[in-house]
Amino acid sequence: MTPYVQPPEPLALYGPEFAADPRDHYRRLRGHGPLAPVRLAPGIDALLVTDYQAAVDLLRDTHTFTKDPRAWQATVPDDSPVLPVLGHRPTALFSDGDVHARYRDAINDSLALMEPHVLRAEVARVARRLIGEFAAAGDADLIAQYARRLPLHVFVTWFGVEPGDGERIVNGIAGMFNSTENATTAYADLVEVVTELVAARRARPRRDLTSYLLGHPAGLDNDETVRQITLIMSAGHDPTTNLIGNALLHMLTDARYAGSLHGGAMTAHEAINEVLWQDPPLANLGAHYPRHDTEFHGVRLRAGQLVLVSYAAANTRSAPGPSGSAVRSGASAHLAWSAGPHRCPAKQPALLIAMTAIEQLTSQLCDAELAVPAGGLKWRPGPFHRALIRLPVRFTPVDMSAEAHRHRTAGEAADGQQAVSIGP
């Protein structure tokens, strides 16, 4: 073991300063080596991995590290604002070995039922309807009016959530990731909505993903089903919203995309890929805990100590050059989807939703531009995400009333039926 060195004062990853300029924080953290001390909330410290190779090693090392946070959690106040994201629950995210495999199989099998062609068509239909609601105004907030509402529709439809509960789900997920004093209440409300949904489907199954999870060979009980659904929703909705928003901002501000909104060479696919390298929607997560006292990349770790991965910082240490061809050639190497056995299982649906959302918007509002200076945009505080508060744009008003009516009518007909067909 190397001699113990007193670590520097942890750098805060919460509050408006970090939200406004996370890259400067990552630069300062790298000065302390591959792992650096950070503060996630008042009194809640962790080590953050900012080096790419160290991040990959951590994410793949199931022998040295566990995903079970309970030893660490015993040292944290019950009302800590980070517990809705990091606190133990019976899900794939917080388990190892056979338990993890059981939960992961149920999640993978349920997500596999979201057939890409059906999902793409549904997302495109809803995207056109949402655009039609603001196209004639000539201005919009693309976060509140578009990026947040589109993934919500996917989850409401595929899991069979009552439409009136949609906003509670969005607010619950957003409150979790904001990690403020309201985080625990927000997460509790999300759980309440899903608990009611699971109880209803246990009594009367339908052809939706909730009913499928309940009937899966893994034999999940009600609480396990609730926790897998809240995991899928929280890991799917907010990050997908942020991916859409961050990619749209990238296209609106990067000079290489000039003209892209009306047929330029750079595409939505390239914008999404560059954002996943440079501004991933989940910036810092991948919580791991040493099973025993150890040394990792020259840093001494205590058993049960919280170690997080900075996907954003690690990516920028390994990112390819600024040219489009370089970015494309390294597309599979970024860590925005994590790595190892806990790699994100929803990569393909999330990419499809984001890609379709951006393609629909840019094809309809081809001259959209930022309505405020880029430097005036505000970002949601919180240690885990990279998320715009608003994305105000202006554009030439488009009369989509006839098309909007047609798609609204089709949507009402579709909403009266089951959008997914599961089981015999």
Side-chain angles (χ1 to χ4, degrees):
M1 290 283 184
T2 57
Y4 179 76
V5 177
Q6 179 67 32
E9 180 69 16
L11 189 63
L13 298 189
Y14 61 95
E17 288 186 7
F18 173 68
D21 192 3
R23 292 181 186 180
D24 180 64
H25 284 67
Y26 299 144
R27 179 188 58 76
R28 292 158 61 189
L29 289 168
R30 289 195 197 96
H32 301 299
L35 290 83
V38 294
R39 184 154 291 157
L40 307 179
I44 307 297
D45 294 348
L47 284 175
L48 188 70
V49 179
T50 60
D51 176 79
Y52 183 90
Q53 188 57 55
V56 171
D57 292 344
L58 174 71
L59 294 166
R60 293 177 176 170
D61 188 352
T62 59
H63 175 74
T64 305
F65 296 93
T66 178
K67 292 288 289 180
D68 189 330
R70 281 176 286 191
W72 166 81
Q73 191 172 336
T75 68
V76 176
D78 291 341
D79 61 352
S80 170
V82 301
L83 286 183
V85 172
L86 299 178
H88 179 266
R89 295 178 284 281
T91 72
L93 185 60
F94 302 105
S95 55
D96 307 296
D98 291 343
V99 176
H100 171 254
R102 173 172 169 257
Y103 292 144
R104 180 87 176 197
D105 285 348
I107 291 172
N108 286 343
D109 291 347
S110 63
L111 292 176
L113 295 169
M114 302 176 75
E115 297 184 27
H117 69 284
V118 177
L119 180 59
R120 181 185 295 276
E122 180 69 4
V123 172
R125 179 183 70 80
V126 177
R128 290 189 294 267
R129 174 164 61 84
L130 293 176
I131 294 167
E133 292 178 2
F134 57 75
D139 60 77
D141 172 9
L142 294 183
I143 300 299
Q145 294 175 264
Y146 191 65
R148 185 174 295 133
R149 294 179 63 191
L150 193 48
L152 170 64
H153 177 88
V154 172
F155 288 109
V156 166
T157 300
W158 287 78
F159 281 95
V161 177
E162 293 297 326
D165 287 333
E167 284 302 313
R168 291 177 66 190
I169 288 175
V170 170
N171 292 337
I173 294 169
M176 286 175 59
F177 282 106
N178 289 344
S179 299
T180 63
E181 63 274 8
N182 298 320
T184 301
T185 301
Y187 177 68
D189 196 47
L190 171 64
V191 170
E192 181 178 328
V193 173
V194 180
T195 298
E196 293 169 356
L197 171 65
V198 167
R201 293 299 182 271
R202 180 73 79 179
R204 294 188 62 184
R206 295 184 185 175
R207 298 169 79 85
D208 55 32
L209 294 186
T210 300
S211 301
Y212 177 78
L213 276 169
L214 285 166
H216 190 273
L220 304 179
D221 63 26
N222 278 19
D223 185 59
E224 289 177 317
T225 306
V226 168
R227 303 300 176 168
Q228 307 323 305
I229 292 174
T230 56
L231 172 61
I232 294 169
M233 288 182 172
S234 60
H237 181 274
D238 214 53
T240 304
T241 294
N242 301 339
L243 180 56
I244 295 169
N246 295 358
L248 285 170
L249 174 62
H250 190 52
M251 296 182 76
L252 290 164
T253 56
D254 191 311
R256 292 174 301 122
Y257 287 84
S260 292
L261 299 191
H262 45 86
M266 302 294 278
T267 66
H269 172 79
E270 289 164 312
I272 288 172
N273 188 53
E274 290 188 351
V275 162
L276 290 170
W277 271 110
Q278 301 167 13
D279 250 341
L282 275 181
N284 307 298
L285 202 55
H288 286 71
Y289 310 85
R291 297 179 185 274
H292 47 76
D293 291 351
T294 188
E295 183 173 316
F296 179 75
H297 280 256
V299 178
R300 292 178 59 183
L301 303 177
R302 304 185 310 273
Q305 184 173 9
L306 172 58
V307 183
L308 294 177
V309 174
S310 178
Y311 306 125
N315 278 354
T316 54
R317 292 293 281 181
S318 182
S323 70
S325 60
V327 172
R328 285 194 296 273
S329 68
S332 63
H334 65 68
L335 295 178
W337 307 108
S338 192
H342 288 268
R343 182 179 176 87
C344 176
K347 172 184 174 180
Q348 295 307 322
L351 281 174
L352 190 151
I353 294 168
M355 193 87 64
T356 306
I358 294 171
E359 289 172 347
Q360 288 293 322
L361 185 83
T362 56
S363 67
Q364 300 290 344
L365 308 178
C366 59
D367 65 346
E369 62 181 10
L370 278 179
V372 298
L377 293 171
K378 302 297 184 183
W379 299 82
R380 283 167 48 198
F384 306 115
H385 56 214
R386 182 64 170 158
L388 284 162
I389 294 176
R390 298 178 66 247
L391 183 56
V393 295
R394 55 177 173 251
F395 45 84
T396 301
V398 179
D399 184 3
M400 295 178 60
S401 55
E403 183 177 3
H405 175 74
R406 179 166 61 85
H407 287 291
R408 182 168 57 250
T409 303
E412 289 169 354
D415 292 341
Q417 304 169 2
Q418 290 301 318
V420 288
S421 180
I422 298 172

